[in-house]
């Protein structure tokens, strides 16, 4: 997909709930377009994310196919995994983040795509990425989603986890990063802008993953204070999961 605009797809019905949600996600992507490189400045150290990347590299053979869901600027995950010899595909709705990702990880492939459209016909019909639609069911060895699903309401997080599972082969791996918080689609300030955020307490998140068809093998947590920000420290959860069934 070469279209670098952040817009609502033409097939979305603005009068429908689905159209409203699609428009909200497009507005969220526009926030990250505007933030640009500042995101990297505020979150420079991501040891938990890198540790999950090391786990994927240790578990997967060279050439294994990995999807970076909401890849952002490609740092550190897409670059780490691609440099480690995996075949990485990154998807994000922010054109600005994707431009940075292509520079950071030139060996990976990147596509503009709404993550809720994974494993659905819209992956091909709207975004031009058929390998991430129904035709790609069971073809991925692993997926990573670091702090991207928290941009969705809880109902959409559950749906998207199920769609990621559809794309994974039996026994495929999922590395997931979330902020621990009891929130559902709550507006919060972020770098002088507003984003909508959801979260779970760790027991709830583990239960959701199990309902979604994953065995949670490990849960790590870290306290993290964004650099140069007045925001209080957050608790970040890193989960290492395997598709069941």
């Amino acid at each position: 997909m070469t279209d670098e605009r952040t817009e609502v797809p033409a097939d979305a019905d603005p009068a429908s709930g689905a159209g409203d949600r699609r428009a909200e996600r497009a507005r969220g992507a526009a926030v990250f377009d505007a933030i640009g490189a500042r995101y990297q400045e505020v979150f420079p150290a991501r040891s938990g994310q890198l540790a999950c990347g090391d786990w994927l590299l240790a578990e997967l053979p060279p050439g294994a196919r990995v999807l970076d869901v909401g890849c952002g600027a490609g740092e550190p995950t897409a670059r780490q995994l691609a440099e480690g010899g995996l075949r990485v595909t990154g998807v994000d709705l922010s054109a600005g983040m994707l431009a940075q990702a292509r520079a950071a990880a030139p060996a990976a492939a990147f596509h503009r795509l709404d993550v809720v459209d994974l494993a659905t016909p819209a992956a091909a019909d709207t975004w031009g990425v058929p390998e991430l639609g129904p035709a790609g069911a069971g073809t991925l060895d692993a997926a990573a989603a670091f702090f991207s699903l928290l941009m969705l309401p809880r109902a959409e997080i559950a749906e998207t986890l199920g769609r990621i599972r559809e794309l994974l082969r039996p026994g495929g791996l999922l590395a997931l990063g979330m902020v621990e918080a009891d929130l559902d689609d709550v507006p919060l300030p972020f770098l002088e802008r507003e984003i909508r955020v959801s979260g779970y307490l760790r027991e709830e998140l583990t239960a959701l993953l199990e309902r979604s068809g994953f065995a949670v093998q490990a849960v790590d947590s870290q306290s993290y204070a964004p650099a140069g920000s007045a925001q209080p420290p957050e608790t970040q959860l890193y989960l290492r999961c395997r598709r069941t069934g």
Side-chain angles (χ1 to χ4, degrees):
M1 187 79 179
T2 58
D3 184 358
E4 294 293 354
R5 296 168 293 170
T6 299
E7 59 186 14
V8 182
D11 64 345
D13 178 5
S16 70
D20 290 344
R21 282 299 312 147
R22 207 172 274 283
E24 182 62 39
R25 290 192 297 274
R27 284 190 289 271
V31 168
F32 283 89
D33 286 344
I35 288 171
R38 291 189 64 199
Y39 185 89
Q40 297 297 103
E41 296 169 3
V42 173
F43 296 97
R46 287 181 253 181
S47 59
Q49 191 167 336
L50 286 165
C52 283
D54 288 339
W55 170 66
L56 292 174
L57 288 168
E59 291 284 330
L60 297 169
R65 294 189 61 205
V66 182
L67 177 65
D68 191 354
V69 180
C71 61
E75 295 276 11
T77 298
R79 184 173 73 168
Q80 178 189 19
L81 298 182
E83 289 180 350
L86 303 182
R87 287 189 293 161
V88 179
T89 299
V91 296
D92 204 285
L93 194 53
S94 166
M97 291 286 108
L98 286 171
Q100 294 183 58
R102 292 183 179 107
F110 295 97
H111 303 281
R112 185 165 175 266
L113 184 146
D114 190 334
V115 299
V116 302
D117 290 329
L118 290 169
T120 74
D125 299 341
T126 302
W127 303 106
V129 194
E131 64 270 26
L132 296 180
T139 62
L140 295 177
D141 297 294
F146 290 109
F147 309 106
S148 52
L149 300 190
L150 60 79
M151 304 292 295
L152 305 175
R154 284 183 172 185
E156 290 181 354
I157 292 174
E159 291 175 0
T160 303
L161 284 171
R163 290 169 183 168
I164 292 170
R165 182 186 181 279
E166 288 181 41
L167 294 174
L168 291 173
R169 61 168 173 78
L173 305 178
L174 170 65
L176 177 67
M178 291 282 286
V179 173
E180 185 171 30
D182 187 12
L183 301 172
D184 186 9
D185 199 32
V186 174
L188 293 175
F190 182 72
L191 295 178
E192 295 86 49
R193 296 179 181 270
E194 183 181 275
I195 59 174
R196 304 189 72 88
V197 173
S198 299
Y200 300 86
L201 303 180
R202 67 191 69 194
E203 295 82 4
E204 296 174 316
L205 183 55
T206 298
L208 171 62
L209 284 158
E210 291 172 349
R211 292 195 302 272
S212 300
F214 292 96
V216 178
Q217 299 184 333
V219 182
D220 299 323
S221 65
Q222 294 187 359
S223 178
Y224 190 91
S229 171
Q231 294 176 235
E234 60 190 29
T235 298
Q236 297 180 340
L237 300 177
Y238 295 92
L239 299 95
R240 304 178 187 188
C241 314
R242 188 178 296 272
R243 176 187 156 164
T244 57

